[in-house]
Amino acid sequence: MTIMNIVLEKDGTPIYRQIADAIATKTQSNELPAGSKLPTHRALADALSVTVGTITRAYAEAERRGIVEAKVGAGTYVCQNDKPRWTFASPERPGITSFGYNVPPAINRADLFSDALQQLADHPNELNNLMLYQPPSGIVRHREILSQWLAQHNVITDINRLLYCSGAQNAMQLCMLTLCRAGDTILADKFTYPGLMSLARQLQLTVKPVDMDDEGMLPESLSAACQQYQPRFVYLTPTLQNPTSAIMSESRRHAMIEVCQAQKLVIVEDDVNGLLPIERPQPMVNLAPDDVIYIGGLAKTLAPGLRLGFLHLPERYYPQFVNALQNHSWMISPLLTAMAAILLENGGANQILQTIRQEMEQRWEVLTHHLGEANLRFHPNGFHGWLRLPDEWSLSEFLSACKTQGLEIKSSELFVPAGYSAPPCVRLAVSAPPTREALEFGSQQLAQLLANPPISEFAI
């Protein structure tokens, strides 16, 4: 670690931004290589004759740009470019058995979708209407059908608070665009969805982790984090938490809501996996509809290719979100919401959901047969599990061995906010292999790796 040679100009540019710009320039020129430790806040403040607060703000700005990361208790470091990245690749690639992504298992949807398309084709006047511009809030009848279908699955909604969007990721983006400004903080579980962190980086927001146990986030830790960070919202996946597959009990959900009400903090409940379990606690939106923004989607339960998600909003937020959606994409395709409405109303969506549940139960039987006593947490209707590695395996060695064997898995590093340590765990998406034969092959390989750790150089 060396004190950086930074020249500050008197050109009206805020000093903290000049420092962040200088750090960016030095990383690009490799004067500050990846992994370099930056000076302490006090040391750099003294060297530049500025306040410690200015350095703190400069480092925070550099972190929001993705240039550096603050490691708790260790300092601030230039980001490593070779760390795992959250990028999507098709599960079907020659020589690769993918346990990577929470995509629904491959099932036949063609007949049901053909019937829905035919139903649209049989009504040309209605089809022509779907080709026109519609209000950003969407067609009322399509929202009514969605609300009725959700009620069948114990999710209580008001059609005047429902809003279709282009997938759950778009819903999350609308939450950030509407509720946050650059520099704001969001709270999330200690291990959380990488798509949240990616969006936050893009919008210059900071994600701070909150301690969790086997049920999910701890209410007392949330209360302390609210006092420390003054967040804009807390992001939760209380049913089939990603990546741990935790399911929060109803009593814990009530406790979390009480904390948020006391702190006047809105909850963003991501329930994209929430309809997969046959039995599950009530969603948080049922318990506190005026304090919860509910995100759902049809990718996991119907078809990812529709790219349809939805939001249920507290009444006070609804106009702002409609305006944000209009500014972002004007409207969601009426043709797609019409297709979804047909399948939700005629029972096709429920048929697909039931098929997916059954398929996942059978897939987990395959994996657990081979992995035996492995420390694996999962739900039999869910897509992913959280595997803690045996003590003999380091995370880096296991990831390298999997890559050599053509196995794609997701490292715990991807699920930890920047600057925090990753446990020796991996996420396995058992839904990803395109066939059960591929799953069987990959499960055998995983079992062999787990049973044959590398020999320590200190072994006698």
Side-chain angles (χ1 to χ4, degrees):
M1 179 184 72
T2 58
I3 300 300
M4 293 178 287
N5 180 25
I6 295 175
V7 177
L8 300 177
E9 304 290 346
K10 296 181 179 180
D11 59 0
T13 303
I15 293 174
Y16 82 91
R17 191 171 296 165
Q18 291 188 50
I19 296 169
D21 290 344
I23 294 171
T25 299
K26 291 176 184 296
T27 58
Q28 291 166 3
S29 66
N30 211 37
E31 185 178 339
L32 283 173
S36 299
K37 185 175 183 180
L38 270 59
T40 64
H41 294 212
R42 170 59 65 188
L44 188 57
D46 290 345
L48 298 179
S49 299
V50 299
T51 66
V52 172
T54 298
I55 302 302
T56 299
R57 194 173 181 188
Y59 280 10
E61 173 67 17
E63 186 171 10
R64 281 194 292 274
R65 297 184 195 179
I67 302 166
V68 303
E69 59 181 353
K71 298 183 179 181
V72 179
T76 303
Y77 293 79
V78 178
C79 288
Q80 297 276 9
N81 295 323
D82 59 351
K83 293 182 87 172
R85 300 286 179 179
W86 190 255
T87 55
F88 183 78
S90 170
E92 298 190 54
R93 282 165 285 153
I96 300 294
T97 302
S98 175
F99 289 92
Y101 297 96
N102 269 356
V103 294
I107 61 172
N108 178 35
R109 298 176 177 84
D111 293 340
L112 290 169
F113 274 79
S114 294
D115 291 344
L117 286 168
Q118 187 59 55
Q119 186 172 330
L120 287 173
D122 289 342
H123 298 83
N125 289 338
E126 182 179 345
L127 189 57
N128 276 322
N129 187 53
L130 295 172
M131 298 299 106
L132 303 176
Y133 281 110
Q134 302 289 344
S137 56
I139 295 172
V140 174
R141 180 58 184 154
H142 295 173
R143 284 185 278 131
E144 288 176 343
I145 292 171
L146 174 62
S147 181
Q148 291 163 5
W149 182 75
L150 289 171
Q152 296 174 25
H153 298 280
N154 195 33
V155 182
I156 308 306
T157 58
D158 177 343
I159 65 164
N160 297 312
R161 299 188 186 190
L162 268 178
L163 197 61
Y164 277 104
C165 47
S166 297
Q169 188 76 0
N170 178 228
M172 199 181 308
Q173 183 182 41
L174 291 174
C175 289
M176 293 183 185
L177 289 170
T178 305
L179 301 177
C180 304
R181 298 292 180 269
D184 284 344
T185 295
I186 298 165
L187 299 181
D189 288 310
K190 181 169 65 174
F191 311 123
T192 194
Y193 171 51
L196 171 83
M197 295 184 283
S198 178
L199 270 176
R201 281 194 299 270
Q202 186 180 43
L203 297 175
Q204 298 185 10
L205 306 175
T206 300
V207 177
K208 290 295 183 182
V210 181
D211 279 343
M212 58 189 295
D213 62 9
D214 287 345
E215 284 192 31
M217 190 178 290
L218 293 162
E220 58 271 23
S221 298
L222 173 61
S223 182
C226 287
Q227 297 296 324
Q228 184 175 359
Y229 298 117
Q230 292 79 52
R232 298 299 297 169
F233 64 80
V234 57
Y235 170 81
L236 297 172
T237 52
T239 302
L240 290 182
Q241 199 268 352
N242 188 4
T244 68
S245 78
I247 295 181
M248 191 180 287
S249 67
E250 194 159 317
S251 61
R252 173 71 63 85
R253 295 176 193 227
H254 280 288
M256 296 292 292
I257 289 168
E258 288 177 8
V259 170
C260 290
Q261 288 174 337
Q263 299 290 338
K264 294 182 170 53
L265 181 67
V266 68
I267 296 168
V268 174
E269 178 183 15
D270 186 342
D271 203 39
V272 293
N273 295 312
L275 301 190
L276 294 175
I278 297 171
E279 296 183 4
R280 60 197 180 279
Q282 289 194 77
M284 299 180 83
V285 69
N286 287 12
L287 307 175
D290 292 330
D291 300 295
V292 174
I293 295 174
Y294 180 82
I295 295 177
L298 300 179
K300 313 297 188 185
T301 55
L302 185 53
L306 281 177
R307 293 313 306 141
L308 283 177
F310 47 87
L311 286 153
H312 187 267
L313 298 150
E315 189 174 3
R316 66 187 181 278
Y317 288 133
Y318 193 78
Q320 300 172 54
F321 274 75
V322 171
N323 185 59
L325 189 147
Q326 179 173 313
N327 290 336
H328 187 266
S329 58
W330 191 264
M331 65 178 184
I332 304 306
S333 167
L335 181 61
L336 295 182
T337 60
M339 281 279 294
I342 290 170
L343 291 160
L344 295 174
E345 192 171 35
N346 71 9
N350 285 339
Q351 184 177 331
I352 291 172
L353 175 56
Q354 184 59 25
T355 301
I356 288 173
R357 286 169 171 167
Q358 293 170 351
E359 174 68 18
M360 291 314 305
E361 289 175 2
Q362 293 168 350
R363 285 177 173 240
W364 282 113
E365 287 179 5
V366 171
L367 185 75
T368 54
H369 170 74
H370 289 288
L371 265 56
E373 299 300 319
N375 190 349
L376 175 66
R377 181 174 184 177
F378 68 96
H379 187 283
N381 299 128
F383 292 166
H384 68 272
W386 188 237
L387 174 68
R388 177 169 285 275
L389 300 178
D391 292 340
E392 297 82 3
W393 274 108
S394 72
L395 179 59
S396 60
E397 286 178 318
F398 188 74
L399 293 171
S400 178
C402 285
K403 186 175 182 180
T404 299
Q405 293 294 321
L407 292 171
E408 181 185 28
I409 58 176
K410 292 303 177 186
S411 168
S412 60
E413 298 165 286
L414 291 163
F415 302 93
V416 178
Y420 293 81
S421 59
C425 298
V426 295
R427 195 194 72 177
L428 302 176
V430 180
S431 60
T435 64
R436 282 191 220 161
E437 290 75 19
L439 172 63
E440 182 89 34
F441 178 73
S443 299
Q444 291 172 352
Q445 289 183 300
L446 278 172
Q448 290 171 3
L449 283 178
L450 290 170
N452 294 282
I455 298 173
S456 170
E457 61 181 301
F458 301 108
I460 297 175

